[in-house]
Amino acid sequence: MSGALIYKPPPAASPVTRSVTQKPKLIEILTPTQAQTVLETLRDKPLYPVVALALASGLRRGEILALRWSDVDLDGGALRVEQALEETTRGGLVFKSPKTRHGRRTVTLPPSTVAVLREHWKAQQEQRLFLGLGRAEPSALVFADWDGSARSPRALTHQWSKTIKTAGLKETFHSLRHTHASTLIASGLDVLTISRRLGHGSPAITLGVYGHLFKPDDRAAAIMEAALKGVE
């Protein structure tokens, strides 16, 4: 897997009556060096702002493609996830609301990503004016096709796979979300905040996927010792 960190979580215990065992999923995480390689490979390419946002926000593919400029607060450095774009088996595109209340959320953005989005907005307006489409409305999609229509999630995945090969990597687009989560975990950010940022229904889901990345913290005895000093 091109040096990516891969974790194979143990299968959950199944009832005795169950005869089929589900296969655990592989989790692909880009190393910091690989993430930088990806960004450098894509710089000045149409896919760059999409990938930069994916790494910085942890949004799912469909959530990124459903983003509208009205959902993005560049001055405030944040965006609001309100919908996700799904592609049906027949190739149709459907905008859907988040499956859980936590899926609809606000995600803060680092200044560098805000700068990327500002440049993307400028380039998008220039392209529209060149094509005679006029200035984009606030409801326009952030990552639209050339005519302003929604981009196919499958087409994005194909574009990603094709481009990433030039960097000598094979990781999936979803690995950007896993990389985002693992980076936050490594920094010591608490699981509840990470869960809310990822749009998980509960921290239990986050722990089920990324629990192996959390380092054990055995300071409990020392904390209680300090808290109870002088009580007796």
Side-chain angles (χ1 to χ4, degrees), residues 23-51:
K23 294 182 179 180
K25 295 181 179 179
L26 295 178
I27 297 177
E28 301 172 328
I29 301 173
L30 296 174
T31 65
T33 299
Q34 289 176 325
Q36 287 299 323
T37 298
V38 168
L39 292 176
E40 288 301 321
T41 300
L42 297 175
R43 196 174 298 279
D44 298 325
K45 293 182 173 61
L47 198 58
Y48 178 76
V50 179
V51 173

Side-chain angles (χ1 to χ4, degrees), residues 30 39 73 98 109 158 199:
L30 296 174
L39 292 176
D73 181 2
L109 301 171
H158 177 72

Side-chain angles (χ1 to χ4, degrees), residues 20 26 33 48 51 55 71 79-80 83 96 111 124 142-143 158 172-173 192 197 205 224 229:
V20 179
L26 295 178
T33 299
Y48 178 76
V51 173
L55 277 172
D71 299 325
L79 60 80
R80 182 75 182 167
Q83 290 183 313
K96 292 187 175 181
Q124 188 182 76
V142 175
F143 300 110
H158 177 72
T172 64
F173 186 85
L192 179 59
R197 188 173 176 88
I205 296 175
M224 293 310 300
K229 274 186 177 180

Side-chain angles (χ1 to χ4, degrees), residues 1 4-7 9 24-32 34-35 51 53-61 64 160 171-186 194 198 200 205-206 208-214:
M1 279 291 183
L5 304 177
I6 296 181
Y7 171 70
K25 295 181 179 179
L26 295 178
I27 297 177
E28 301 172 328
I29 301 173
L30 296 174
T31 65
Q34 289 176 325
V51 173
L53 179 61
L55 277 172
S57 67
L59 265 62
R60 302 174 178 89
R61 179 187 63 176
I64 291 175
W160 159 266
E171 282 63 46
T172 64
F173 186 85
H174 200 67
S175 69
L176 301 175
R177 177 174 165 85
H178 291 321
T179 301
H180 176 82
S182 68
T183 301
L184 297 182
I185 293 170
I194 295 174
L198 295 175
H200 284 163
I205 296 175
T206 309
V209 178
Y210 304 108
H212 64 289
L213 297 177
F214 286 90

Side-chain angles (χ1 to χ4, degrees), residues 90-105:
R90 295 183 179 181
L93 301 180
V94 180
F95 288 94
K96 292 187 175 181
S97 298
K99 296 178 180 179
T100 68
R101 63 187 180 89
H102 294 302
R104 183 176 280 109
R105 62 199 187 277

Side-chain angles (χ1 to χ4, degrees), residues 51-227:
V51 173
L53 179 61
L55 277 172
S57 67
L59 265 62
R60 302 174 178 89
R61 179 187 63 176
E63 294 172 337
I64 291 175
L65 293 180
L67 274 180
R68 301 179 185 278
W69 285 114
S70 56
D71 299 325
V72 182
D73 181 2
L74 294 176
D75 292 331
L79 60 80
R80 182 75 182 167
V81 178
E82 295 288 352
Q83 290 183 313
L85 181 64
E86 293 185 8
E87 189 162 8
T88 65
T89 54
R90 295 183 179 181
L93 301 180
V94 180
F95 288 94
K96 292 187 175 181
S97 298
K99 296 178 180 179
T100 68
R101 63 187 180 89
H102 294 302
R104 183 176 280 109
R105 62 199 187 277
T106 297
V107 178
T108 55
L109 301 171
S112 59
T113 304
V114 171
V116 170
L117 289 178
R118 286 188 187 278
E119 285 298 316
H120 174 63
W121 180 88
K122 180 181 178 182
Q124 188 182 76
Q125 304 313 307
E126 292 175 348
Q127 182 185 48
R128 286 180 61 87
L129 291 174
F130 177 79
L131 295 173
L133 298 175
R135 192 181 183 86
E137 297 292 331
S139 60
L141 294 168
V142 175
F143 300 110
D145 213 336
W146 67 270
D147 60 352
S149 61
R151 293 174 66 176
S152 160
R154 293 175 189 169
L156 174 63
T157 296
H158 177 72
Q159 186 181 10
W160 159 266
S161 300
K162 184 178 179 180
T163 305
I164 205 65
K165 287 182 180 180
T166 62
L169 301 172
K170 299 180 180 179
E171 282 63 46
T172 64
F173 186 85
H174 200 67
S175 69
L176 301 175
R177 177 174 165 85
H178 291 321
T179 301
H180 176 82
S182 68
T183 301
L184 297 182
I185 293 170
S187 73
L189 196 62
D190 66 277
V191 65
L192 179 59
T193 300
I194 295 174
S195 177
R196 293 290 182 265
R197 188 173 176 88
L198 295 175
H200 284 163
S202 74
I205 296 175
T206 309
L207 288 172
V209 178
Y210 304 108
H212 64 289
L213 297 177
F214 286 90
K215 295 180 180 179
D217 190 345
D218 198 19
R219 296 177 298 157
I223 291 173
M224 293 310 300
E225 177 67 15

